[in-house]
Amino acid sequence: MAAAAAAMLGATALGTGALAEEPIKVGELNSYTRMAAFTDPYKKGWELALEEINAAGGVRGRPLEVISRDDDGKPADAVRIAEELVSEDEVVLLWGTFLSNIGLAVADFAAQREVLFVAAEPLSDAVTMEKGNPYTFRLRPSTGMQARMLAEVAAKLPAKRWATVAPNYAYGQDAVAKFKTALTALRPDVEFVGEQWPGLFKIDAAATVRALDAVEPEAIYNVTFGGDLAKFVREGQLRGLFKGRDVVSLLTGEPEYLLPLGAEAPEGWIVTGYPVEDLGDDPNHKPFLEAYQAKWGELPQLGSIVGYVTLKAVAAAIEKAESLETEDLVAAMENLTFDSPVGPVTFRDIDNQATLGAWVGRTALKDGRGVMVDWSYADGADYMASPEEVAATRPAE
Amino acid sequence: MTLDLGFLLGQFLAALASASALFLVASGLSIIFGVTRIVNFAHGSFYMLGAYLGYTITEALPTGVLGFWGGTLVAALAVGVIGAAIEIVVLRRIYRSPELFQLVATFAIVLIIQDATLYVWGPVERLGPRAPGLDGAVQILGEYVPEYDLALIAIGPVVLGLIWLVFHRTRWGVLVRAATEDREMVGALGVNQSWLFTTVFFLGSALAGLGGALQVPRESVSLLMDLNIIAEVFVVVVIGGMGSVLGAYVAALLIALFNAFGILILPEISLAVPFIVMAVVLIARPWGLFGRPESGEHQQALSEEPLRPLGLARRAAILAGVAGLAGLAFLGGRYGVVLATDIVIVSLFAASLHFMMGLGGMASFGHAAYFGISAYAAAFLATYAGLSMLPAMLLAPVAAMLAAAFFGWFCVRSTGVYLAMLTLAAAQIVWSVVFQASEITGGDDGILGVWPDKWAKSREVYFLLTLAIGAMALVTLQRIAHAPFGYVLRAARDNRLRAEAVGVDTRNHQWAAFVVSGVFAGIAGVLFVFAKGSIFPDELAIPRSFDALLMVLLGGVQSVFGPLLGAASFTYVRDEISRLEYWRFIFGILIILVVILAPDGIAGGLQRLWRWIAARAGFRRVTPDKAEGA
Amino acid sequence: MSTTPADGPVLEVSGLSKSFGGNHAVREVSFALGASELLALIGPNGAGKTTCFNMLNGQLRPDRGRVVFCGRDITGMRPREAWRLGLGRTFQITATFPSMTVIENVQIALISHERKSYELFSAARRQGRAEAEALLDRVGMAGAADRHCAELAYGDLKRLELAVALANRPRLLLMDEPTAGMAPAARVELMALAARIVAEEGVSILFTEHDMDVVFRHAHRILVLNRGEIIAEGSAEAIRADARVREVYLGGGTQEPGAEEARPHA
């Protein structure tokens, strides 16, 4: 009972930083089993960052400790675990998550329980826009930002008849809607002639490919990923769906999704992704790349960057904050600028969105595996929602 | 859209190929059920294992036609051996347990295989090679048709034919058919039953493994394969009629065709198509296309004890339980409150399922529908209608009641596993509507911000509120169980014919029980939504339904305390171990231990333990109780 | 229940027929049953007795024919509706509610009779307790009221079934092989009880039976069924003397009256 009482008092005791050697605990949750392909490199990324941070003396002179949990891919479980992290483990802030619905759920929890949440991966615009709240910050460029990056390239294509295919859940619907809006704004002459909504990780690829073929589009916009993507690509190539058609595909350039396709990786698709093999000479990127390879003996993937950068951002915020109280941490996050393997990144204060960008390029085959070529780095700052849009969409604080 | 002949043919051939794949897995499940009456939820895991083994073995063997097909066969046989081993080690010990109890064990096997696969192959999905010699496409009427699809189209009927030959031309096959028709007969024929069951498990698992291995050239091998296929496979088996292999083929074809052409007409309903087809078939033919009515007699081998009013010891146990919860809530730190709140909610949910399952004899595989519908209704009332918490809590279960009345009306027209599958279909249809209607329900983003009113915002106050409402609901359920309605309901479960012969409209009583059960699940649902502040389609999906089913079965169907014990220990233990890396494996092992050590559930096991201790200590019971556990 | 002229027949069956896949299980069966009559329906195995019973209380729908109960056509009526009119039955294979106590089994019938089966909040334990005790007493089971039904001996189950069947004060009881599987002494005892009930309460009973001793000793009148048809009808003496009956039981090679041993029961 005494232990329980002590645990109850623990939070405030830690908050005042009574013990110098006591680690500062941050709570991390992600879909480690459900989304293993992405979260495995992601975890390696943040473990590297954690090692670097503590090797350099930790934060505020204390070691940083990450309590990491698996949310099982379910938002309700995520909320329960978030609650557990906050009330039992007494972490000073929460970070992580992959799926958009989980990100939104934890964001809502953060607002209710008044705790800082740094969303690493969830892409839905709603995290910082429609359902944004003062306690929630997001690192990766949103679906809307990435769709705008792709639409810019897509608008230069001759194609006018477009078809879309996306997993049937919020992220897929959002990604299609944002792309349509962005492309139509740039090219009022395009029309969308068909759409397919296979269930997430339940695609009937043959039927989907044939249904797309039947509407005879000139170009296809794809949002499927993971196992769905592999089935879609294989069936599509067998059935000649991609012959003579441009394909614009969200996230497909990420090694997480491109590498499993092996020699069957599609060529010439316009994608967002991570051209890791070409970044060895980038002065910003080089140290990260080398450290990662030294620790894990493999090339980083996009998740590695996300994990690494998010924990660096968290550490920077803790360092900058006046105290470990939530208000001070939130204040520290606003306009926080910190160094990353892509150069300085800033969390914009009007919508809590970071300026991290994405690489846009084309897929190609090299040595029997898919890579990105003709790529360029699109700085997130250039694609963010306008302040007017933010003011109109984001709930007033 | 051009709907020319070539296109329709192409779509038809694609459907045939999918049907073959589905059939291979479903036929194995159907054979296993036919002979052993086990509802084998691990069948999807065998399929997944087949895919992983097929991937690894074909990679290891020299590439080429022989390597691929040889590897595929070896993978299938290996899965068969694994299946037979599981039958020998686990399932054989529990054939005498109450109906559906084996289902718990198979569910534990799902968890174990999940983590074992994760351990062996790692989390990243694998994309296998295309089938050598069949890696291209041929053009038929201007349509590209993959060569491998043509091979699959042939394999389905070939396997069907082989099974037919085995069943009609071998002594073993004749025995299998005899056992499927009438299980009692096998014993009478003097057949070694364990040997028959083990071999049937071998064949069934090998077929699932074959289905999985043949899937390697079509899709990437991943840890999601087991749960992705299992629901659809069950749908196929049920539509075909459980135990009928031909039925499985016809049903697989039916589902594949509806999937292929449904996607052209209404792409949005693709998620619900198989379940709608199943519901329609079962309403028209309650035992599937080729199935026969279950011979109800063997299910009535219950030796359940009469319901007794709560004695002193049990009252004391209840008080101890409440005190334990309060202790957890107020002494277990801030998280103790959260956990205690969860336990109350889940206990009520499990108790509501137990009401229809234990007293009504109707197992539900889709009870989460009523939990979720009520939670969503409360969320709508709180967010859209702006109601405050208590009125929303009061009104929302009405939605669960209406839904239960609607779906229950169809479900009670069936019995046993078929009834359970209808409840599953209902829940899946509700789930896909909620999932799809994202304009209103937020899709899988869910509805957020459904927090309690200010006065109940603190975790402690909300816990007390939950405890008060939960306890009242549980007491009410108890009262109903001991009321004339509860008695007559049990009578209808015990012996439908007898009950009808004393003037009881058994179906109507079951329907009413379905509704009562739905309302109480709904009460649990509203408590849940305000505790979590949000609601997602997951809460009406299959895993949530199965959690409740597991809690009831693990706790003990034959005891009123069973579901409460099951819910509390399930929630607490899972919470404790889910921090560990391979916690599913551990959890699966724990469940199997319970299943083997306490085949009558935790409640029954504790009771026996208590008697054993009492006997040892030399206590004498006043009234001898002859009904030892089942 | 429904009113009938005191002297009219309780049950009138005419032209009852049923076939299963071309097999005539019951063909053109007609008979009547008066008030306070104890009528036996006998015949060799497979003669169609149980099929006949199942059509009388509505468990099975006849292909042709009519069943009139107390002046009311009940052909094709559901068993539970027929029961409400006062037509009860017991089963060849004893049918009780195995998870309940003896008295609860009777209480179920009483609850149903009083149309209280949808009551959600009253205590069932007290429901018709006294009446149920009286019924158990009537069949000599008063001492076993609180025993678990699953632990009863076979003969006790049969008596319990009788008590349950009497709960709604039926005008007619159909008893399908009431003494099957019982020891000879117990058979006599049970049928004596049935005869007493007929005499004292004005209930009519139609029963099937293999034990010819029981039949000849207690039945007021006997119907003989063979291959779905009634081949003889009359008093015990008349049936004993009937040549066709003797042929069926002796010459036809089917069965000797009273020779058949009861089959084991589940």
Side-chain angles (χ1 to χ4, degrees):
Chain A
M1 211 194 286
M8 278 171 138
L9 295 170
T12 45
L14 271 183
T16 53
L19 299 164
E21 281 310 304
E22 189 84 354
I24 293 177
K25 289 191 280 190
V26 292
E28 194 273 347
L29 64 165
N30 220 321
S31 309
Y32 285 107
T33 42
R34 182 78 202 279
M35 297 288 156
F38 187 91
T39 48
D40 186 52
Y42 160 88
K43 187 167 193 176
K44 287 177 175 159
W46 69 250
E47 281 179 352
L48 173 65
L50 184 63
E51 197 178 271
E52 289 179 5
I53 291 162
N54 282 333
V59 283
R60 306 173 84 88
R62 289 162 59 184
L64 184 65
E65 183 184 342
V66 176
I67 298 178
S68 172
R69 298 287 305 272
D70 186 357
D71 63 27
D72 220 15
K74 294 179 194 144
D77 283 11
V79 171
R80 182 175 58 79
I81 286 164
E83 178 90 71
E84 200 178 325
L85 285 169
V86 170
S87 50
E88 182 153 273
D89 299 312
E90 291 162 346
V91 300
V92 298
L93 58 85
L94 295 169
W95 64 281
T97 73
F98 176 90
L99 293 168
S100 289
N101 53 351
I102 294 182
L104 286 167
V106 177
D108 184 59
F109 169 84
Q112 171 73 10
R113 294 287 187 230
E114 297 178 355
V115 55
L116 170 62
F117 170 49
V118 184
E121 169 74 11
L123 296 182
S124 168
D125 285 73
V127 174
T128 51
M129 299 288 280
E130 292 93 322
K131 291 177 183 162
N133 68 58
Y135 297 91
T136 301
F137 293 75
R138 192 231 327 261
L139 181 78
R140 278 203 77 183
S142 68
T143 308
M145 290 162 70
Q146 299 202 41
R148 283 193 280 278
M149 296 171 190
L150 284 174
E152 218 173 65
V153 187
K156 293 176 188 141
L157 298 171
K160 285 183 186 160
R161 290 170 59 83
W162 285 78
T164 63
V165 55
N168 196 354
Y169 81 114
Y171 160 71
Q173 290 152 4
D174 202 24
V176 168
K178 291 284 167 11
F179 180 77
K180 278 185 177 175
T181 313
L183 184 59
T184 318
L186 296 168
R187 280 279 299 274
D189 59 332
V190 299
E191 55 170 336
F192 287 86
V193 293
E195 50 191 48
Q196 280 300 314
W197 302 102
L200 178 63
F201 300 141
K202 291 195 176 88
I203 192 169
D204 182 347
T208 304
V209 162
R210 299 180 40 73
L212 282 175
D213 206 16
V215 298
E216 294 168 357
E218 290 162 6
I220 295 167
Y221 174 64
N222 166 60
V223 189
T224 66
F225 59 94
D228 286 345
L229 177 70
K231 277 172 104 170
F232 177 64
V233 167
R234 188 167 269 190
E235 284 288 339
Q237 287 181 341
L238 269 178
R239 295 173 189 273
L241 176 67
F242 309 129
K243 271 188 196 155
R245 288 182 179 131
D246 287 306
V247 180
V248 173
S249 192
L250 202 59
L251 310 186
T252 308
E254 298 177 5
E256 286 87 335
Y257 307 129
L258 203 51
L259 289 180
L261 296 176
E264 288 173 46
E267 291 185 84
W269 284 21
I270 296 161
V271 296
T272 57
Y274 180 38
V276 58
E277 298 184 44
D278 299 345
L279 292 171
D281 301 329
D282 184 313
N284 280 325
H285 222 78
K286 202 172 170 193
F288 164 73
L289 235 115
E290 283 170 356
Y292 190 92
Q293 281 174 289
K295 184 167 170 65
W296 300 110
E298 62 187 40
L299 282 173
Q301 307 192 16
L302 189 74
S304 318
I305 294 270
V306 173
Y308 181 85
V309 174
T310 312
L311 189 57
K312 284 291 175 88
V314 162
I318 292 175
E319 200 66 63
K320 178 182 159 195
E322 304 242 319
S323 79
L324 294 177
E325 296 298 332
T326 296
E327 300 103 86
D328 291 329
L329 288 169
V330 167
M333 280 299 290
E334 286 169 0
N335 285 325
L336 174 77
T337 300
F338 63 102
D339 278 327
S340 83
V342 296
V345 172
T346 303
F347 281 96
R348 187 163 76 157
D349 64 343
I350 57 167
D351 59 355
N352 296 355
Q353 169 70 46
T355 60
L356 187 74
W359 289 269
V360 182
R362 280 183 183 269
T363 55
L365 271 179
K366 185 183 145 198
D367 306 331
R369 63 178 193 279
V371 293
M372 269 176 85
V373 295
D374 303 336
W375 55 266
S376 59
Y377 179 71
D379 189 352
D382 301 335
Y383 297 89
M384 294 171 101
S386 67
E388 299 76 42
E389 213 181 321
V390 172
T393 324
R394 201 174 147 88
E397 289 179 10
Chain B
M1 191 183 285
T2 51
L3 283 175
D4 56 51
L5 191 64
F7 178 78
L8 291 177
L9 179 79
Q11 201 73 355
F12 181 68
L13 290 177
L16 279 184
S18 302
S20 275
L22 207 50
F23 161 70
L24 288 180
V25 189
S27 61
L29 183 64
S30 200
I31 293 170
I32 289 176
F33 177 83
V35 175
T36 67
R37 292 289 186 275
I38 287 185
V39 178
N40 180 20
F41 263 80
H43 207 67
S45 308
F46 294 153
Y47 163 80
M48 178 174 78
L49 273 182
Y52 271 102
L53 287 171
Y55 170 83
T56 301
I57 295 171
T58 48
E59 291 275 281
L61 290 176
T63 49
V65 176
L66 208 65
F68 174 76
W69 294 103
T72 301
L73 273 183
V74 171
L77 293 177
V79 174
V81 170
I82 294 171
I86 289 173
E87 195 276 337
I88 291 171
V89 175
V90 181
L91 298 175
R92 183 172 291 180
R93 290 163 209 283
I94 50 172
Y95 283 125
R96 302 209 167 276
S97 307
E99 194 193 5
L100 288 179
F101 199 64
Q102 295 91 348
L103 188 144
V104 178
T106 65
F107 206 82
I109 293 164
V110 171
L111 296 176
I112 291 171
I113 293 182
Q114 261 280 330
D115 267 4
T117 313
L118 175 67
Y119 179 78
V120 175
W121 281 279
V124 179
E125 50 199 48
R126 311 293 179 93
L127 189 65
R130 290 179 185 173
L134 296 171
D135 49 2
V138 292
Q139 271 201 317
I140 302 177
L141 293 179
E143 290 287 322
Y144 290 100
V145 179
E147 290 159 356
Y148 190 69
D149 273 19
L150 294 176
L152 278 182
I153 290 171
I155 287 171
V158 165
V159 170
L160 179 62
L162 286 176
I163 295 175
W164 190 88
L165 276 180
V166 169
F167 278 14
H168 288 81
R169 294 283 181 272
T170 66
R171 185 182 128 75
W172 182 82
V174 172
L175 283 177
V176 168
R177 279 195 300 140
T180 306
E181 303 260 310
D182 184 355
R183 201 175 155 189
E184 317 294 305
M185 217 166 96
V186 185
L189 288 172
V191 178
N192 182 343
Q193 189 163 313
S194 338
W195 171 78
L196 185 68
F197 282 19
T198 308
T199 47
V200 158
F201 247 88
F202 173 81
L203 177 68
S205 317
L207 283 169
L210 180 65
L214 285 173
Q215 221 32 33
V216 174
R218 297 186 96 207
E219 64 176 296
S220 56
V221 181
S222 79
L223 291 168
L224 297 173
M225 288 179 84
D226 54 350
L227 293 182
N228 273 356
I229 198 164
I230 190 67
E232 199 147 308
V233 167
F234 263 97
V235 166
V236 166
V237 171
V238 166
I239 290 178
M242 299 193 78
S244 165
V245 177
L246 178 65
Y249 187 74
V250 173
L253 208 58
L254 197 67
I255 291 294
L257 286 174
F258 268 100
N259 274 342
F261 289 97
I263 204 173
L264 296 177
I265 302 157
L266 277 171
E268 297 85 1
I269 65 160
S270 58
L271 294 170
V273 165
F275 297 96
I276 295 171
V277 175
M278 174 167 81
V280 170
V281 168
L282 283 190
I283 288 163
R285 291 187 62 95
W287 291 278
L289 295 175
F290 293 83
R292 295 152 195 270
E294 291 174 72
S295 61
E297 296 304 329
H298 66 260
Q299 297 178 6
Q300 288 167 14
L302 294 161
S303 71
E304 189 171 324
E305 288 182 52
L307 270 186
R308 310 258 185 216
L310 302 180
L312 213 60
R314 293 188 180 192
R315 278 168 207 254
I318 293 178
L319 278 180
V322 171
L325 270 178
L328 177 62
F330 293 106
L331 304 174
R334 278 194 291 170
Y335 187 64
V337 184
V338 177
L339 194 58
T341 310
D342 277 4
I343 288 177
V344 174
I345 292 169
V346 168
S347 297
L348 177 57
F349 182 40
S352 75
L353 176 60
H354 177 259
F355 185 80
M356 66 182 281
M357 213 168 132
L359 302 184
M362 300 176 285
S364 170
F365 292 175
H367 207 48
Y370 313 102
F371 180 87
I373 283 173
S374 178
Y376 267 98
F380 290 153
L381 290 171
T383 52
Y384 297 149
L387 251 59
S388 62
M389 181 178 72
L390 287 180
M393 277 184 169
L394 209 63
L395 280 175
V398 175
M401 185 178 86
L402 295 176
F406 177 75
F407 291 117
W409 192 85
F410 293 102
C411 293
V412 298
R413 253 132 263 273
S414 214
T415 57
V417 176
Y418 292 92
L419 185 152
M421 290 307 290
L422 270 178
T423 61
L424 179 73
Q428 281 300 95
I429 290 165
V430 171
W431 174 82
S432 58
V433 167
V434 167
F435 192 85
Q436 211 74 241
S438 49
E439 304 280 303
I440 313 162
T441 62
D444 69 351
D445 279 354
I447 300 178
L448 303 171
V450 195
W451 295 101
D453 290 353
K454 269 214 171 62
W455 62 270
K457 199 177 159 182
S458 99
R459 296 175 179 94
E460 287 74 18
V461 173
Y462 193 77
F463 166 71
L464 288 175
L465 180 72
T466 305
L467 187 63
I469 294 176
M472 271 193 309
L474 285 171
V475 167
T476 310
L477 264 179
Q478 270 303 297
R479 275 204 80 113
I480 297 176
H482 286 277
F485 178 72
Y487 270 46
V488 172
L489 188 62
R490 277 195 300 138
R493 172 206 66 188
D494 275 9
N495 193 330
R496 179 186 283 261
L497 213 59
R498 172 79 267 178
E500 287 274 340
V502 291
V504 174
D505 185 341
T506 52
R507 199 175 269 179
N508 228 22
H509 280 80
Q510 287 189 318
W511 186 32
F514 202 107
V515 175
V516 169
S517 175
V519 169
F520 282 89
I523 296 173
V526 293
L527 291 173
F528 176 86
V529 70
F530 285 102
K532 301 294 165 189
S534 52
I535 179 73
F536 304 93
D538 283 345
E539 302 313 327
L540 350 91
I542 295 174
R544 165 77 54 189
S545 291
F546 268 82
D547 281 355
L549 196 63
L550 245 58
M551 290 168 197
V552 171
L553 288 167
L554 272 179
V557 191
Q558 300 179 4
S559 157
V560 288
F561 285 110
L564 307 186
L565 274 172
S569 43
F570 188 93
T571 310
Y572 186 77
V573 170
R574 186 166 63 177
D575 191 80
E576 282 298 305
I577 65 171
S578 64
R579 286 170 174 250
L580 306 172
E581 192 166 1
Y582 289 99
W583 71 270
R584 282 181 192 80
F585 189 87
I586 301 166
F587 200 48
I589 296 283
L590 284 177
I591 291 175
I592 285 181
L593 282 181
V594 171
V595 164
I596 290 176
L597 293 177
D600 39 0
I602 297 173
L606 286 179
Q607 215 165 9
R608 272 182 295 124
L609 185 69
W610 167 246
R611 278 188 206 135
W612 184 78
I613 293 170
R616 278 263 159 141
F619 300 155
R620 277 200 69 85
R621 292 174 63 85
V622 185
T623 46
D625 207 334
K626 280 176 69 179
E628 288 290 331
Chain C
M1 299 278 102
S2 62
T3 52
T4 36
D7 51 344
V10 172
L11 186 71
E12 248 184 310
V13 178
S14 48
L16 210 56
S17 302
K18 181 79 188 176
S19 55
F20 299 105
N23 229 340
H24 293 283
V26 172
R27 201 172 352 188
E28 296 294 326
V29 164
S30 304
F31 64 90
L33 176 68
S36 298
E37 192 177 14
L38 189 56
L39 177 65
L41 180 66
I42 65 168
N45 257 349
K49 299 180 303 265
T50 300
T51 307
C52 221
F53 261 45
N54 285 344
M55 286 191 284
L56 294 183
N57 87 320
Q59 216 136 289
L60 207 61
R61 183 177 279 274
D63 297 339
R64 275 192 318 282
R66 255 160 50 97
V67 181
V68 176
F69 176 63
C70 296
R72 183 164 169 181
D73 189 345
I74 61 161
T75 321
M77 196 177 259
R78 289 198 179 95
R80 62 167 185 271
E81 291 160 350
W83 182 84
R84 294 236 173 261
L85 297 175
L87 195 162
R89 84 170 279 183
T90 66
F91 292 84
Q92 187 176 350
I93 297 171
T94 49
T96 54
F97 307 122
S99 77
M100 300 186 166
T101 62
V102 167
I103 196 160
E104 283 169 359
N105 265 270
V106 185
Q107 282 173 301
I108 292 291
L110 290 168
I111 287 168
S112 172
H113 178 56
E114 286 162 30
R115 297 180 184 275
K116 286 181 172 167
S117 68
Y118 290 101
E119 272 187 18
L120 291 180
F121 302 111
S122 59
R125 213 155 39 93
R126 288 192 284 274
Q127 206 67 243
R129 174 100 196 172
E131 210 175 326
E133 274 166 357
L135 279 164
L136 286 176
D137 194 37
R138 190 88 184 81
V139 300
M141 296 268 297
D146 289 313
R147 285 181 67 192
H148 185 185
C149 192
E151 35 184 89
L152 288 188
Y154 194 71
D156 286 344
L157 281 176
K158 286 281 182 189
R159 287 194 287 170
L160 171 57
E161 264 210 287
L162 188 58
V164 169
L166 290 173
N168 69 329
R169 303 177 202 289
R171 302 182 61 98
L172 170 63
L173 260 186
L174 307 176
M175 299 175 78
D176 200 355
E177 298 203 20
T179 71
M182 296 171 81
R187 293 180 186 200
V188 172
E189 200 184 315
L190 185 77
M191 285 317 292
L193 173 63
R196 257 199 328 273
I197 289 166
V198 168
E200 293 168 13
E201 294 175 23
V203 177
S204 307
I205 291 182
L206 172 65
F207 71 108
T208 67
E209 188 51 69
H210 272 103
D211 185 335
M212 289 303 137
D213 276 352
V214 168
V215 172
F216 291 139
R217 190 181 305 184
H218 295 288
H220 301 167
R221 198 154 56 93
I222 300 168
L223 293 168
V224 185
L225 203 62
N226 188 41
R227 298 193 180 157
E229 286 177 281
I230 291 185
I231 57 164
E233 178 182 351
S235 67
E237 292 72 28
I239 294 299
R240 269 203 191 101
D242 191 297
R244 288 179 65 194
V245 176
R246 295 181 70 87
E247 195 201 331
V248 165
Y249 276 87
L250 298 168
T254 330
Q255 212 102 44
E256 184 183 344
E260 196 211 354
E261 260 318 299
R263 292 170 303 276
H265 285 282

